[in-house]
Amino acid sequence: MKARSDELQIFVCVIECGSISAAAEQVGQTPSAVSRSLSRLEAKLETTLINRTTRRMDLTEEGKFFFERAKQILEQMDELEERLSLRQQTPAGRLRINAASPFMLHAVVPYIAEFRSLYPDIQLELNSNDLIIDLLEQSTDIAIRIGNLADSTLHARSLGSSPLNILASPAYLERHGVPASVDELSSHTLLGFTQTETLNHWPLRHAQGDRWQIRPDIAASSGETLRQLALEGQGIVCLSHFMTHQDIQSGRLRVILPETNSGYRQPIHAVYYRNSQLALRIQCFLDFIQGKLAGYAGN
């Protein structure tokens, strides 16, 4: 007997999920059913693909070889299905999107219901990662990146840009006062990033230029963590407008030193590996999210 496509899908899912139980939840089967599917596949191939113990799973050399080829086969099947749907001009298929947590939470998730109502045949996978990822390694169709791009091997589409604002909560400003100049910030509690040093260069004009480097009193790796700290009145922060515009509108955060802001805007790009025309499902998402960004970022 020959291996079936559903057995290939289960095998690839087990490896990508890291466990049989996680894969079972992903494919909507019981762990025992997934385990039996793996055993049938190994019996058909007359080889062991995975060494399984109660604590871990390891691919055999044959399993590594088979895993890469199985992924290619499944991707080719997805592409075939996509090409058929393109003939009908109906965007469909799985769309894997990766973005930093703040962008995912504030610029993607709020609009998913609307996107799904427009394109019900697109199956979304939303993954968050605050570090730059390898698109191929992570099986990602689109990655949203904030800031200047350094990797020239990627195809990129600009989605616009977002201003950076210096912000603090009303409670913090009531306790510590509103700084009247850049120099006065030195006497305040400043919130900044632990990684990517340029994120701690605030767009403020001063005697030495139009970027002011801070030494954070409280540092975090995620912009969302810094946003929550600012909302809790823990200090002054510099964050992008796409993740704070609702806080500003509601008065939860106040913009400070607007007259000294240099006006720098963070570029926002979608990056992807494609040498030909974009798949319709990808094109639809990029057009959709670009329109949403333009609505509140002044693009």
Side-chain angles (χ1 to χ4, degrees):
M1 292 189 296
K2 296 181 179 179
R4 304 195 312 263
S5 61
D6 59 336
E7 292 170 334
L8 298 186
Q9 288 175 329
I10 288 175
F11 169 71
V12 169
C13 187
V14 167
I15 303 307
E16 291 183 335
C17 290
S19 71
I20 289 177
S21 58
E25 184 175 351
Q26 182 82 12
V27 300
Q29 297 185 19
T30 63
S32 59
V34 170
S35 183
R36 286 195 298 271
S37 176
L38 288 176
S39 297
R40 282 196 303 271
L41 181 60
E42 290 177 327
K44 290 177 181 180
L45 299 174
E46 298 182 345
T47 189
T48 299
L49 300 174
I50 306 174
N51 288 322
R52 303 190 285 277
T53 69
T54 56
R55 293 188 175 182
R56 58 181 296 172
M57 298 188 312
D58 291 308
L59 280 172
T60 63
E61 286 301 313
E62 293 78 9
K64 292 176 183 178
F65 174 87
F66 190 77
F67 174 65
E68 294 301 325
R69 274 66 183 177
K71 282 181 62 176
Q72 292 175 6
I73 291 170
L74 293 173
E75 288 169 359
Q76 289 171 354
M77 292 176 64
D78 285 342
E79 183 178 354
L80 177 60
E81 292 178 1
E82 182 176 279
R83 287 183 179 276
L84 289 174
S85 70
L86 279 173
R87 292 173 64 90
Q88 303 172 358
Q89 291 301 298
T90 302
R94 184 182 302 173
L95 180 60
R96 304 175 181 92
I97 302 164
N98 185 286
S101 300
F103 191 89
M104 188 67 78
L105 289 172
H106 298 282
V108 176
V109 170
Y111 309 111
I112 289 301
E114 181 180 350
F115 182 80
R116 291 281 295 134
S117 69
L118 293 171
Y119 307 107
D121 295 325
I122 296 178
Q123 294 90 49
L124 291 171
E125 287 187 10
L126 306 178
N127 297 299
S128 297
N129 194 314
D130 292 322
L131 302 175
I132 292 177
I133 65 161
D134 185 305
L135 272 67
L136 293 179
E137 193 174 281
Q138 298 290 330
S139 300
T140 295
D141 295 306
I142 304 169
I144 309 297
R145 292 188 176 169
I146 313 299
N148 296 318
L149 293 179
D151 191 342
S152 60
T153 65
L154 296 172
H155 296 273
R157 169 173 164 175
S158 173
L159 299 179
S161 60
S162 182
L164 287 170
N165 293 313
I166 315 303
L167 305 161
S169 71
Y172 176 88
L173 296 174
E174 184 177 346
R175 291 196 307 271
H176 302 283
V178 180
S181 67
V182 175
D183 290 337
E184 288 188 16
L185 286 174
S186 300
S187 62
H188 284 266
T189 301
L190 304 182
L191 311 176
F193 289 86
T194 56
Q195 299 176 357
T196 312
E197 185 60 30
T198 55
L199 294 177
N200 289 328
H201 292 178
W202 291 7
L204 293 171
R205 293 189 300 271
H206 56 105
Q208 285 74 44
D210 59 4
R211 302 296 294 273
W212 191 66
Q213 184 174 358
I214 70 157
R215 290 181 177 273
D217 299 289
I218 304 175
S221 61
S222 168
E224 181 60 22
T225 301
L226 294 175
R227 172 179 169 267
Q228 292 295 333
L229 286 168
L231 288 170
E232 292 296 324
Q234 294 302 306
I236 297 175
V237 73
C238 176
L239 291 173
S240 194
H241 193 65
F242 73 79
M243 63 182 296
T244 55
H245 65 105
Q246 291 183 337
D247 298 320
I248 296 170
Q249 290 173 357
S250 67
R252 293 189 297 267
L253 291 176
R254 283 176 52 188
V255 177
I256 61 176
L257 298 173
E259 67 284 352
T260 61
N261 193 308
S262 64
Y264 171 77
R265 301 172 69 96
Q266 282 186 313
I268 303 174
H269 289 90
V271 296
Y272 45 89
Y273 283 108
R274 286 281 171 156
N275 295 317
S276 57
Q277 184 176 1
L278 278 179
L280 187 59
R281 68 184 190 279
I282 295 177
Q283 186 72 48
C284 288
F285 178 80
L286 294 181
D287 291 343
F288 176 83
I289 207 66
Q290 185 171 24
K292 296 303 178 184
L293 283 173
Y296 62 76
N299 296 324

